[in-house]
Amino acid sequence: MTMTAHSAGYRYRLLPEVKIRREAFGGILYKYGCADRGSLSFINSPRLIELLLLAREQFAGDLSAAIEQQVSSAAAKAHLSAALAELLKRGYLEAEVLAEPVPDETETE
Amino acid sequence: MTQFVQFHGRRRGRCEGQGQPAPGALHPLAKAAFAETGSPLSPARTSGSQRFLQGGLSAPITVTWEITAACNLTCVHCLSSSGKRRPRELTTEHALAVVDELAEMQVFQIHFGGGEPFMYPGIWRVLERCRERDLVMCVSTNGTLITPERARRLAALEPIYFQVSLDGATPETNDRIRGQDAFRRAMRGLERLAAEGLSLTVNSVLTRYSFPELDRLYEIAGSFGAKLRVTRLRPSGRGRAVWEELHPTREQYRSFVAWLREHPDVLTADSFFHLNAFGERLAGLDMCGAATATCCICPEGEVYPCAFFQTPEFEAGNLHEQSFREIWRHSPVFAFYRQMGAGSCGGCSRYDLCHGGCPATKWFVQRSLQVRDPECVLTDVPHHLPLALQEASCSSPARSEYVFPQQA
């Protein structure tokens, strides 16, 4: 599997307690507890919702891996990075800062 | 290639799976009340959360489930006039089937109330089924029936959240609302739940008598490692009889908004959105989520737009006769509710902040849905008054929706 850094050096992971539901306008992200403020966001991008679901269902929550598989253009990835930063800020994702890639260590099994 | 789209709202009658309203099936009073509110806002005029909720979602986000009317307290403001168990309350088997259906619809959370949920004979099986189906559970309890053994058993069901009701920070204030010795017994329940490390909130209905005790309530909640959750009094159930006496004054509400600003960790169940009209948008939804984001299942299977709107005119259906899915998608009450117009609030410069307030409060106080919220904070302010703060408030990070920009 190719481990490629993207989105300014972060690897994004969807938190397990986040629930995702498709809606006609895109979908809903939900993370709630009565003892917590909780989060509820309406996402107007079906594409992003599908990416999140793909990450959950096929990549054990590894959103970066799902993006690597589904999104090829650099422009689209750049556009996604703003969305990911927002989702991180709202508490749906966790981000791991990636170390500077060393050329001969970027390919792993 | 990733494609971002701007959401333009839904058009009337184009909501997949929502069905068309059948006006003939509506109660005449409901039909007249909805008609008075006028036409629904065009998609271009919707704002905030309304853009996403106007057409209804595929399923509720949260379902409030008043699982029994049985209660060992007789609070003077009880929204469901609880006390005795009712004859047609859902059996445990039926309740389990409803849990399964809600899970299949991808409802995120069930909020159990009543009555007192721990007086429902099948409550443990229902909670366990929710756990099995990965539904987030929240239980609103008076706390008086929490024994150490029950608290331990509940801890095994985590994640589960509890709201223990205290309507005052002193026995005098609380017991005036909730009955003799209720304060001491609720505090004991809080201790027992906290001892098991359960996630707690202290839930307090804001009244003109509890308002001066907010700081003390905040301290009490903190002493149990809990958060304080303050909710709005509604004139529903027995609350109708005490509404005039108990509902906060306008000046108290103004001070309350300032108090919330100083206590950002206090929860409000999004119930004070009518106060947004002061000019400062509070956290959470900025509109009524009834019939769109939430609804209420009552003990005998009745489904209503929300827990505060339990009245036969607005019954959307009954689980003894229909599935929850059918009611959610095809009930004329829900279909009309989702398309309600702005009524007399339509010309108000602050409509985008509060979306007209609470329909249930309007109905129970004035038997109309087209009037202003009886607690509208702008009662003395002319319509069309420019509001300098409005723009700043609307861009608050507290907004719950996120609209992605168009891709360049």
Side-chain angles (χ1 to χ4, degrees):
Chain A
M1 180 178 172
T2 302
M3 301 288 283
T4 308
H6 72 87
S7 298
Y10 291 103
R11 186 157 202 94
Y12 290 100
R13 182 170 290 281
L14 187 61
L15 292 177
E17 64 268 31
V18 174
K19 292 173 180 283
I20 309 162
R21 190 171 83 198
R22 292 184 183 92
E23 292 289 344
F25 55 80
I28 301 174
L29 295 190
Y30 178 83
K31 192 181 84 169
Y32 192 82
C34 296
D36 190 357
R37 172 67 70 186
S39 300
L40 171 71
S41 292
F42 301 109
I43 306 291
N44 69 337
S45 166
R47 174 71 170 146
L48 181 60
I49 290 293
E50 293 308 317
L51 271 174
L52 292 167
L53 286 167
L54 181 73
R56 164 69 45 82
E57 290 161 9
Q58 293 187 27
F59 293 94
D62 187 339
L63 185 55
S64 294
I67 291 168
E68 286 305 321
Q69 186 195 72
Q70 293 290 310
V71 184
S72 54
S73 91
K77 284 182 182 174
H79 190 68
L80 260 178
S81 67
L84 298 181
E86 184 66 28
L87 295 181
L88 179 68
K89 191 174 83 179
R90 286 167 183 254
Y92 299 113
L93 309 179
E94 59 185 4
E96 174 193 348
V97 181
L98 293 175
E100 279 295 314
V102 178
D104 60 353
E105 289 183 356
T106 54
E107 291 286 319
T108 61
E109 287 303 314
Chain B
M1 179 176 173
T2 309
Q3 186 175 17
F4 290 85
V5 294
Q6 193 76 30
F7 177 69
H8 295 293
R10 296 179 180 190
R11 294 183 189 282
R12 190 176 194 181
R14 291 181 60 191
C15 306
E16 187 181 351
Q18 297 295 329
Q20 291 300 302
L26 276 176
H27 190 287
L29 287 176
K31 184 177 177 183
F34 284 130
E36 277 184 351
T37 67
S39 301
L41 292 181
S42 66
R45 281 202 60 204
T46 57
S47 61
S49 313
Q50 196 174 26
R51 282 171 299 167
F52 300 94
L53 295 178
Q54 189 184 38
L57 303 174
S58 63
I61 290 164
T62 301
V63 170
T64 301
W65 190 347
E66 301 202 336
I67 199 157
T68 180
C71 190
N72 57 332
L73 300 184
T74 48
C75 304
V76 299
H77 61 355
C78 180
L79 63 96
S80 51
S81 303
S82 289
K84 289 184 179 171
R85 188 158 192 218
R86 292 178 187 156
R88 293 184 77 215
E89 290 195 0
L90 300 183
T91 63
T92 301
E93 289 308 316
H94 196 163
L96 294 175
V98 173
V99 170
D100 289 340
E101 188 181 18
L102 297 177
E104 284 155 18
M105 290 177 72
Q106 294 186 278
V107 169
F108 295 126
Q109 184 194 28
I110 303 180
H111 187 142
F112 291 100
E116 168 53 44
F118 290 106
M119 292 188 76
Y120 182 68
I123 190 64
W124 294 101
R125 287 183 65 196
V126 170
L127 294 177
E128 284 159 4
R129 180 65 64 89
C130 287
R131 184 73 200 88
E132 289 163 17
R133 299 303 303 256
D134 197 28
L135 281 157
V136 175
M137 294 172 275
C138 183
V139 181
S140 185
T141 172
N142 61 38
T144 63
L145 302 178
I146 302 294
T147 61
E149 294 73 26
R150 282 180 168 171
R152 275 195 290 278
R153 191 171 173 187
L154 289 165
L157 291 172
E158 281 203 294
I160 181 169
Y161 303 92
F162 290 89
Q163 295 175 2
V164 179
S165 299
L166 274 185
D167 290 330
T170 61
E172 292 73 28
T173 306
N174 180 77
D175 294 357
R176 175 181 188 170
I177 305 286
R178 307 187 64 80
Q180 191 174 7
D181 208 26
F183 184 83
R184 183 189 66 80
R185 295 165 73 195
M187 294 287 276
R188 188 183 60 189
L190 279 162
E191 282 170 18
R192 290 171 174 173
L193 292 166
E196 294 298 328
L198 285 156
S199 299
L200 292 175
T201 60
V202 169
N203 194 67
S204 190
V205 176
L206 189 68
T207 66
R208 66 185 60 182
Y209 302 115
S210 67
F211 171 77
E213 299 180 359
L214 282 173
D215 284 332
R216 181 68 191 119
L217 280 163
Y218 184 81
E219 288 170 13
I220 289 173
S223 72
F224 293 109
K227 289 194 174 182
L228 178 62
R229 181 177 185 264
V230 185
T231 58
R232 183 182 176 188
L233 174 72
R234 306 307 211 294
S236 314
R238 285 197 289 270
R240 266 174 268 183
V242 294
W243 165 258
E244 281 302 326
E245 180 198 348
L246 294 184
H247 82 100
T249 66
R250 185 166 175 265
E251 283 315 303
Q252 284 180 326
Y253 270 138
R254 186 182 291 279
S255 301
F256 176 62
V257 169
W259 187 87
L260 282 178
R261 195 186 310 125
E262 293 164 7
H263 300 81
D265 57 332
V266 170
L267 310 179
T268 62
D270 298 352
S271 65
F272 293 103
F273 58 90
H274 69 301
L275 302 182
N276 290 355
F278 276 129
E280 179 179 357
R281 191 175 162 178
L282 302 171
L285 289 179
D286 57 2
M287 61 176 287
C288 168
T292 52
T294 186
C295 69
C296 178
I297 300 174
C298 283
E300 294 185 297
E302 318 96 301
V303 179
Y304 293 106
C306 85
F308 302 104
F309 222 147
Q310 298 177 39
T311 182
E313 305 90 275
F314 292 94
E315 182 177 328
N318 192 299
L319 296 175
H320 285 297
E321 293 146 17
Q322 291 173 281
S323 70
F324 181 84
R325 190 188 307 264
E326 282 178 303
I327 295 169
W328 180 257
R329 296 191 174 170
H330 303 300
S331 155
V333 169
F334 283 173
F336 274 92
Y337 204 101
R338 291 165 188 152
Q339 300 294 333
M340 212 181 326
S344 62
C345 296
C348 179
S349 61
R350 300 185 196 181
Y351 179 76
D352 284 351
L353 290 175
C354 72
H355 293 103
C358 171
T361 304
K362 297 177 187 188
W363 181 255
F364 287 122
V365 173
Q366 296 188 255
R367 304 294 283 182
S368 170
L369 297 177
Q370 67 90 26
V371 296
R372 288 178 175 198
D373 188 307
E375 291 187 317
C376 173
V377 297
L378 302 179
T379 300
D380 303 324
V381 179
H383 275 199
H384 308 296
L385 187 74
L387 179 62
L389 288 173
Q390 186 165 324
E391 275 305 307
S393 300
C394 286
S395 62
S396 158
R399 65 183 182 174
S400 57
E401 76 283 359
Y402 181 59
V403 179
F404 284 91
Q406 289 275 20
Q407 189 172 17

